[in-house]
Every structure is written in structure tokens, then in C-alpha cells.
Amino acid sequence: MREYVKGFPKDFLWGGAVAANQCEGAFDADGKGLSIQDFHPYTKNLDRTKLDFNHMTKEYLEALMSDESLYFPKRYGVDFYHRYKEYLALLAEMNFSTFRLSIAWTRIFPNGDEAEPNEAGLKYYDDVFDEMKRLNIEPIVTINHYDLPINLTLKHNGWYDRKCIDLFTKYADVVLKRYKDKVKYWIIINQINLIQYECFGSLGILSDTVENYKQAQFQAIHHQFVASAQVIENARAINENFRIGTMIADSTMYPFSCKPEDVTLTLKRNRMQYFFTDVQFRGEYPMYAIQHFKQEGIHLNIEPGDEQVIKRNSPDFLCISYYYSYCLDASKNTMDPASTTKNPYLKANEWGWAINPMGMYSTVSQYWDRYQVPIMIGENGFGYQDVLENDGSVHDDYRIDYLREHIKALKQAVCDGVELFAYCSWTPFDIISAGTAEISKRYGYIYVDLDDMGQGSGKLYKKDSFAWYKKVIESNGEIL
Ligand code: BG6
């Protein structure tokens, strides 16, 4: 019998996570090309509960590309590109043992289809990883976090075109080889399942240029499955000690009531969330998905060899981001992933993200029960419009409460048998929001003094959560 588990394992990795396109800035430095995220404008007085950069049309993109009056916050981020030593020093002060960050595809291949990589871009990440090593911080590296080169959208309609498989695999090969002695943990694609919320960001498809948008999405996802499997195969040949993971965002659906209709719809919807990891870990398209595609009129072009490469290469671990949960009411909701009902028992933040720590427990437990592969939490955090006081303090007790309850739930899941090896909160320092391109949706333990238009001193201030998280790490999750 296995030994009784009391808490997080001794060698547990504690840290935080960011994405290059949301923090680095320096959008045109050292040969970097433009990614699709460099065209996400800041919108004043936006409806924060809606995402405006999800379904992109050709016309809207062209308008964004030629409108010089717009401000694009992700081009400037919080200047992690130049200030990485300052940021990393603060993470080391909190005793981070890991830091999840991404490589910007457009620093390595500025247009995504060059013959040779950009040496200045490669050198930059050498320096970042060397600094992390000096500080004893283990990198967990996402190869692609929402920053497809814009050129690949304009030329090939993003991941819809099969060409993206080779272009991405080539890019991944370059970074896996270059950093083979510096990085052990890799995540191939950020949140491969989140196409309903981050469709343009994740797949780069212009919705009005395809006949059947849903079909195009799943075709593009198929290309991501094939590319991911190919990357895993290549990575294993480069360094057998690599650990390569896939990543999903879980927004577990709960039945709105115990009505059998609500329960059944919830089961079917949750199954379509599992679809992504079912393909990757079980190595084939599940029958419920084939049935769903038939009902929706979706026909996938699967080439000979695709299913074999997927079958041969299941990932080593599963990275999960968890923020909130939703309900499903069969009298109102459908199989459309965007169709949800609010949970009346939960409070939510200003962006409508419901706070549900128990959902963390059920999420990791359910994925563990389904696949029995090591799990890491790659994102979990609380976006809030923090207030910087005159004395430089930021009292973010609401963030501490959120994180405490989620870590507690996670600990319970570990005690009940989930093999969890890392927890990365989103984010250690404030960065630009992926969904709404604001900095005022702040997640960090470190306040960055910039506003939504990039104005401010840029100075860094420790929030109350800084000292709290430091203690959590020092006590390996015992002092919460
Ligand atoms: C995750 C993304 O889905 O959610 C991150 O991987 C993102 O890139 C995070 O930042 C939080 O979303 P937002 O819109 O609050 O930044």
C-alpha cells in the first residue's frame, strides 16, 4: 500500500507563470517580428465581461493594422525584455523554485517562415535561462502562448492551413535543441482546448474567410494535435530527460440543477472539454467527438500518418490552468461552448470570473482519475483592480483569500492521491491581460506602476500577497 500523504511532496515546485506577449514588451527589438497579439488594442470603457479579440475578421484586422490612433498594450508589456533581472530577483526573494514563461515565436522566427532563426532572439532566452539558473529557479517553458506570427495569419490563415504544422515544428526544434541543457520542462501550446474564448489568439484564423467556422476551428486543432505529437517525438530524440506536457484550461461545468436534462448536458459538454486531452493521452479521436462532428456537419481532413503520430506520442504530463467554473441549464444552454449560466452560489470578480476553490479540487481529481499522469497547475489567480496607496503599499487581502482557498483545495487533492508536481500562480507581477488588454486587471504579488495606456513610473511595489506567498513557499504549503 502507498504511504499516507500529508501535504505537498518535498520536491514540489512553487512559482508563477507569465506569457511573453503579455510581459516582455520590446515588440520590435533585436529583430522581433509582429505577432497577432501586437494588434490587440486597448479599449477604454470596455465591457469587461466580454472578450473583443476572440473572433477576428479580415476587415477588422486590416482596420487595426492601419489605425495609427490606437494603443496596443502588448507591444510594451511591463518591459520584462529589458528588466528581467529585476523581476527575477524579486521572484528569487519570494523563494520561487520555478517560473513558467514562454518563448516569443516572433523573436526566433520573426515572420514564422524564415529559413534561419534570429540569433539575437535565441541569445536573449539564453541570458534569461542563465539568470534563472543562477537564482535556482527551474524554468517551465511554453513554446507557443498565443503569439502566432501575424504573417502566418495573413498568408496561411493561421493553424487552419496544414503548413503551420511544419513551421511550428521547425521553430520548436530550434528552441528544444538550443536550450536542451537549460530547460527540462516544456509545454507545447498554451491551453490547447480554449478555442471558444481565445480562438483568434490560439489559432489565428480570420473567421470571415472560411465557409464553416466551426469546422475550420477543429481542423486547426487537428493540426495542433499533429504538430504537438511531432514535437514530442523530436524532443525525445533531442534529450531523453525532457518532460513535455500538454496544457488545457479547465472551466468545469456544473449542472444548474439535478434535473436529468441538466446533468446530461453537463456530462456531454464536459466530455467535449476532455476531447482535447482524450486525443492526446489516449491517442485517438473518441466516438462521442466523431458523433458530435457528424451532428454539427464538421468534416475533418485527416491525412495518412496523422493518427499514428498522435498515438505514438502522448505527453509526459498535463498542465492545467484553473480560474473559475460555470453552470449549465438545459432549458437555456446548448452544446455551444460559449453558452453558460452563472452559478448563483458563487461570487465573481468584476470580469465575471466566479470564485470556486472546490472546483480546483474536482478539476485536478477528475483529470487524475481519467489519465493518471503527473499534473501541474500552470495558472490560477485573481484579477483585481488593485490600489497603490501613498506609502507604496497594496492591500490585496482578496487575492490572498482566493489563493489560500485554492491551494488548500489542491492540497486536499494531493492528499487524496493526485500526483501534482508544481503550482504556478498567474502572475507573479502585473502584466497585460490576455482577454481585455488592460494592465488594471492585476494578478501579481508585485505591483507595476503603469496604467492601461502604459503611463506611469514603471516602479515595482510589493503587495501584501508578496510576503504571504513567500511564507507559503518556505513552508511548502503548510502555512496558508
Ligand atoms: C489564461 C491565459 O487563459 O488566462 C493567460 O493563458 C491569461 O494568457 C489568463 O492572461 C488570464 O486571463 P486575462 O484575460 O485575465 O489575462
Side-chain angles (χ1 to χ4, degrees):
M1 200 157 75
R2 281 165 66 190
E3 239 178 78
Y4 173 67
V5 177
K6 283 207 307 277
F8 293 100
K10 265 212 297 302
D11 51 358
F12 192 71
L13 295 170
W14 289 98
V18 296
N21 75 83
Q22 295 170 252
C23 72
E24 282 180 2
F27 71 102
D28 56 358
D30 301 325
K32 184 185 175 297
L34 292 171
S35 86
I36 54 182
Q37 298 299 337
D38 290 319
F39 294 95
H40 189 174
Y42 169 64
T43 315
K44 224 176 161 193
N45 303 325
L46 83 175
D47 176 352
R48 288 177 151 165
T49 59
K50 294 208 175 83
L51 299 181
D52 58 347
F53 197 64
N54 187 19
H55 288 187
M56 176 65 70
T57 61
K58 190 161 184 281
E59 193 189 345
Y60 182 41
L61 182 63
E62 280 168 1
L64 290 174
M65 291 182 83
S66 58
D67 188 337
E68 286 176 13
S69 69
L70 294 172
Y71 177 66
F72 299 102
K74 292 178 192 170
R75 295 185 184 189
Y76 308 95
V78 293
D79 203 18
F80 183 81
Y81 188 75
H82 296 109
R83 298 175 69 187
Y84 69 90
K85 286 193 181 163
E86 213 180 321
Y87 284 109
L88 291 175
L90 285 164
L91 308 194
E93 194 182 322
M94 273 189 280
N95 286 317
F96 271 40
S97 46
T98 191
F99 179 43
R100 174 180 167 235
L101 69 172
S102 71
I103 294 177
W105 188 344
T106 49
R107 290 201 191 282
I108 312 303
F109 287 99
N111 290 307
D113 56 2
E114 288 85 352
E116 296 300 325
N118 171 30
E119 176 54 31
L122 288 166
K123 166 81 175 53
Y124 168 68
Y125 293 105
D126 267 326
D127 295 346
V128 173
F129 298 143
D130 289 347
E131 182 66 2
M132 288 173 69
K133 186 167 177 143
R134 196 182 70 76
L135 297 168
N136 279 322
I137 301 176
E138 177 88 48
I140 299 180
V141 175
T142 316
I143 301 177
N144 181 215
H145 193 130
Y146 293 163
D147 54 2
L148 185 84
I150 189 77
N151 176 51
L152 299 188
T153 278
L154 299 173
K155 247 196 206 162
H156 302 300
N157 217 0
W159 280 94
Y160 182 48
D161 192 322
R162 218 183 143 83
K163 281 205 183 69
C164 226
I165 300 178
D166 288 342
L167 295 170
F168 177 70
T169 311
K170 177 173 167 181
Y171 153 59
D173 247 34
V174 167
V175 295
L176 288 162
K177 283 185 185 144
R178 175 78 170 219
Y179 309 119
K180 71 177 179 8
D181 301 319
K182 299 186 180 185
V183 177
K184 173 178 170 187
Y185 296 99
W186 298 89
I187 293 164
I188 306 167
I189 292 175
N190 186 60
Q191 301 180 159
I192 195 161
N193 67 323
L194 215 61
I195 54 171
Q196 72 270 34
Y197 297 117
E198 302 287 358
C199 186
F200 180 63
S202 184
L203 304 173
I205 301 175
L206 298 170
S207 57
D208 55 343
T209 60
V210 291
E211 244 174 61
N212 179 341
Y213 187 44
K214 268 202 186 144
Q215 173 162 301
Q217 285 179 314
F218 280 100
Q219 187 63 54
I221 283 292
H222 175 72
H223 296 154
Q224 290 198 337
F225 288 150
V226 175
S228 299
Q230 195 55 59
V231 167
I232 295 174
E233 191 153 290
N234 298 353
R236 287 189 176 137
I238 295 168
N239 183 347
E240 58 185 21
N241 294 321
F242 279 159
R243 287 291 162 266
I244 324 271
T246 190
M247 177 173 180
I248 49 103
D250 190 78
S251 29
T252 313
M253 307 289 161
Y254 289 56
F256 187 67
S257 77
C258 55
K259 267 197 262 157
E261 290 80 359
D262 289 358
V263 175
T264 307
L265 176 66
T266 306
L267 182 142
K268 288 188 174 174
R269 283 278 298 272
N270 279 335
R271 215 162 40 183
M272 278 312 289
Q273 283 298 320
Y274 287 128
F275 156 72
F276 302 84
T277 37
D278 277 358
V279 172
Q280 293 193 293
F281 285 109
R282 293 175 166 171
E284 58 189 21
Y285 274 77
M287 194 46 74
Y288 63 79
I290 296 169
Q291 184 70 249
H292 175 74
F293 294 154
K294 193 162 186 318
Q295 280 160 7
E296 299 280 323
I298 294 172
H299 305 282
L300 297 186
N301 178 19
I302 298 184
E303 293 203 355
D306 285 1
E307 288 176 293
Q308 288 75 357
V309 76
I310 294 172
K311 184 115 200 155
R312 279 200 305 274
N313 297 291
S314 72
D316 297 316
F317 66 87
L318 172 62
C319 176
I320 300 176
S321 63
Y322 174 79
Y323 291 91
Y324 55 77
S325 68
Y326 274 124
C327 289
L328 293 177
D329 175 343
S331 67
K332 296 190 208 132
N333 301 131
T334 62
M335 281 303 284
D336 178 353
S339 157
T340 54
T341 295
K342 270 188 200 157
N343 188 326
Y345 299 101
L346 300 177
K347 288 196 181 122
N349 71 1
E350 223 186 301
W351 288 261
W353 294 24
I355 305 166
N356 178 12
M358 281 189 209
M360 174 68 106
Y361 176 85
S362 52
T363 292
V364 292
S365 304
Q366 282 164 13
Y367 277 96
W368 169 256
D369 291 348
R370 200 165 177 105
Y371 306 114
Q372 307 265 301
V373 293
I375 292 177
M376 66 165 283
I377 295 298
E379 293 181 27
N380 169 233
F382 192 62
Y384 199 85
Q385 202 158 312
D386 297 327
V387 176
L388 177 66
E389 307 288 350
N390 290 336
D391 63 357
S393 59
V394 178
H395 303 301
D396 58 343
D397 43 310
Y398 38 82
R399 179 166 298 108
I400 296 175
D401 289 345
Y402 176 99
L403 293 170
R404 178 193 295 117
E405 294 311 310
H406 283 76
I407 295 174
K408 261 192 208 162
L410 208 48
K411 191 161 154 188
Q412 187 56 53
V414 170
C415 293
D416 289 349
V418 174
E419 196 182 322
L420 190 81
F421 67 95
Y423 173 80
C424 293
S425 58
W426 188 264
T427 51
F429 43 88
D430 299 337
I431 64 175
I432 311 300
S433 152
T436 48
E438 312 159 270
I439 197 175
S440 46
K441 187 177 186 187
R442 297 176 184 271
Y443 286 89
Y445 305 112
I446 298 155
Y447 185 95
V448 182
D449 183 26
L450 290 174
D451 68 16
D452 291 327
M453 294 298 287
Q455 301 299 305
S457 69
K459 273 196 181 158
L460 308 183
Y461 295 90
K462 296 173 188 168
K463 303 181 193 177
D464 289 354
S465 56
F466 185 99
W468 172 80
Y469 194 48
K470 185 172 180 339
K471 271 212 196 96
V472 172
I473 299 178
E474 276 164 6
S475 67
N476 197 27
E478 284 308 302
I479 302 175
L480 288 167

